[in-house]
Amino acid sequence: MEEVEFEERIESLGGWAFLGCTSLKKVILPNSLLELGYMAFGDYTGLEEVKISGTVKKIPEYAFDNCTALKNVELSYGIETLGNAFRNCSSLTSIFIPESVGAMHATFEDCINLAEISVDENNQQLQDIDGVLYNKAGRNINCSRICLFKKNRNSCGFCAW
């Protein structure tokens, strides 16, 4: 099996639920999902695509840690907080941040191929300028270790690798 779509009645996906899984390539999380656990998909090296829909408010620390094949992430408009959720997702090249996201912490640390970020124009906290993440005051927020790369950039300010 390469794809799984969860039933709508599922409200929680526990920590380490798919830790180390390699066979599934696509996961569609249901609209009924309220909680995604710590490292739910950690070290899931086969995962290429994930759709996070529904009423999940927070993507927790390391939820998709070291998902090195992950290329496509679709975040829902209900998400408010992104922890260090996508650390070392080295195949991720672009991401769209929905209007509802206001808090992020080292979300894309070590995503060495992340070349572009787009933020919903109605987002009250964040914005993108030429594919780089800024707060609404116009400050590049790389100093908070949200590491983003442009194709011709060698470093991202204060980010710690």
Side-chain angles (χ1 to χ4, degrees):
M1 181 168 37
E2 291 188 354
E3 180 177 328
V4 67
E5 184 171 353
F6 289 90
E7 293 183 23
E8 284 302 320
R9 66 180 189 221
I10 294 176
E11 294 181 355
S12 179
L13 189 60
W16 301 284
F18 289 88
L19 180 68
C21 185
T22 59
S23 60
L24 291 175
K25 293 185 179 191
K26 181 177 180 180
V27 173
I28 300 172
L29 299 173
N31 290 325
S32 59
L33 191 68
L34 300 172
E35 182 180 8
L36 187 60
Y38 173 89
M39 269 195 101
F41 295 92
D43 292 327
Y44 188 159
T45 58
L47 184 63
E48 295 177 1
E49 182 177 350
V50 65
K51 180 178 179 182
I52 306 168
S53 58
T55 57
V56 175
K57 298 293 182 202
K58 178 182 180 182
I59 307 295
E61 303 302 308
Y62 310 112
F64 297 91
D65 184 59
N66 205 37
C67 290
T68 55
L70 188 59
K71 296 175 188 173
N72 185 20
V73 175
E74 185 178 328
L75 299 173
S76 79
Y77 280 86
I79 298 169
E80 297 172 357
T81 304
L82 296 172
N84 188 358
F86 298 98
R87 190 183 71 85
N88 198 33
C89 291
S90 55
S91 294
L92 191 61
T93 59
S94 65
I95 190 85
F96 176 76
I97 305 296
E99 173 185 355
S100 55
V101 174
M104 297 176 72
H105 173 71
T107 303
F108 304 108
E109 183 178 2
D110 293 331
C111 292
I112 60 173
N113 291 306
L114 186 58
E116 178 135 8
I117 190 163
S118 300
V119 178
D120 187 293
E121 64 184 29
N122 296 315
N123 188 301
Q124 299 297 307
Q125 305 295 319
L126 306 169
Q127 64 181 327
D128 67 276
I129 300 173
D130 295 327
V132 178
L133 186 63
Y134 293 86
N135 65 19
K136 285 292 185 174
R139 290 189 182 103
N140 182 300
I141 54 177
N142 286 342
C143 61
S144 62
R145 296 183 57 210
I146 300 170
C147 298
L148 304 170
F149 268 65
K150 292 295 284 176
K151 290 185 188 237
N152 296 323
R153 197 192 279 182
N154 294 328
S155 66
C156 60
F158 297 100
C159 293
W161 302 108

